[in-house]
Amino acid sequence: MIKIATVFSGIGSVEHALIRMKLEHKIIFACDNGDIEINEDNIICKLNEYPKMDYVNRKKIVDDVYNDSKKTNFVKKTYFENYKISEYDFHNNIKFLDGNQYKNQVDLLVGGSPCQSFSTMGYQKGLEDSRGTLFYEYARIIKETQPKVFLGENVRGLFTHEGGKTLQVIKDVIADLGYTLVEPRVLKAIMYQVPQKRERLILIAIRNDIADK
């Protein structure tokens, strides 16, 4: 059985792929804020008051702020309609997700941080963009959960952004995390019988203790 976890989960395309391939799996956790904007300072202040708070109460503080916004997380709603997951294991915000509670429980971690900062349609500020820095949150979750394998996806523009310097930074971070990166490649949706010309850069890395075997 594959124990999978996702961040920036969306409607769960990877989870759906596992179902279509009839691969037995269990969802360990998922995370997506559904583009709901909240005052994160409120959460930070409350968490700082009790630095030794347990995982359950930390999550309750985050969830309460999102619930108080009176906005519906349609991503979460759709996810729950399609996949089996507990309320506790769906998280609203990667910034406040402590991956230590899931350490060594995940086989495959999947996440594609927001791509606008690398896209040809955006301003291409890369990791300097607040959306781009969410890559570091993804890296933190990798470090904390220690999955056997992780998969990241982003726009093709990441390949050439800043003459390849941005991708090299990402490669260096992956190496520092203790993972062996499979050579990045661009995959085209149309090559897999999907009626789109969508191109995505795919990054797959294997934890060193497994890759060395």
Side-chain angles (χ1 to χ4, degrees), residues 35-93:
D35 289 330
I36 295 175
E37 294 185 6
I38 48 95
N39 187 344
E40 294 181 352
D41 290 339
N42 289 341
I43 297 176
I44 294 172
C45 289
K46 291 179 180 179
L47 294 180
N48 286 342
E49 288 180 20
Y50 306 98
K52 296 183 179 181
M53 188 184 305
D54 61 32
Y55 299 128
V56 174
N57 285 308
R58 284 178 61 89
K59 185 176 188 301
K60 185 177 185 305
I61 285 176
V62 177
D63 288 350
D64 284 348
V65 171
Y66 274 88
N67 291 334
D68 290 344
S69 73
K70 305 300 182 184
K71 298 176 182 177
T72 301
N73 185 338
F74 289 104
V75 171
K76 177 181 178 181
K77 188 173 182 180
T78 302
Y79 197 95
F80 271 75
E81 288 290 331
N82 287 283
Y83 308 110
K84 185 177 180 180
I85 187 172
S86 69
E87 181 69 35
Y88 175 78
D89 291 318
F90 191 99
H91 301 268
N92 280 300
N93 193 319

Side-chain angles (χ1 to χ4, degrees), residues 81-210:
E81 288 290 331
N82 287 283
Y83 308 110
K84 185 177 180 180
I85 187 172
S86 69
E87 181 69 35
Y88 175 78
D89 291 318
F90 191 99
H91 301 268
N92 280 300
N93 193 319
I94 189 173
K95 295 179 183 178
F96 304 111
L97 167 56
D98 189 337
N100 288 295
Q101 62 194 298
Y102 299 108
K103 187 174 182 179
N104 297 322
Q105 297 181 40
V106 178
D107 295 323
L108 173 63
L109 176 66
V110 181
S113 56
C115 59
Q116 293 93 328
S117 53
F118 305 113
S119 173
T120 56
M121 299 299 289
Y123 291 105
Q124 296 185 297
K125 294 183 179 180
L127 295 176
E128 295 179 1
D129 191 307
S130 62
R131 296 165 298 191
T133 54
L134 287 176
F135 164 76
Y136 291 111
E137 294 292 347
Y138 183 39
R140 175 181 61 80
I141 297 300
I142 294 169
K143 181 178 181 179
E144 292 173 353
T145 59
Q146 289 292 295
K148 293 177 181 177
V149 178
F150 74 82
L151 184 154
E153 61 88 19
N154 216 294
V155 292
R156 179 174 186 156
L158 180 55
F159 235 141
T160 55
H161 185 265
E162 289 291 326
K165 291 180 181 178
T166 300
L167 182 57
Q168 186 58 53
V169 169
I170 291 175
K171 288 181 177 180
D172 292 343
V173 170
I174 291 173
D176 288 343
L177 289 170
Y179 284 77
T180 299
L181 179 67
V182 177
E183 186 62 29
R185 61 180 61 185
V186 174
L187 300 181
K188 300 179 181 181
I190 198 169
M191 296 172 63
Y192 299 91
Q193 290 76 54
V194 178
Q196 296 180 359
K197 293 183 179 180
R198 189 179 182 89
E199 298 179 325
R200 305 298 284 183
L201 174 65
I202 303 298
L203 302 170
I204 298 175
I206 306 169
R207 206 173 64 206
N208 287 344
D209 63 309
I210 299 173

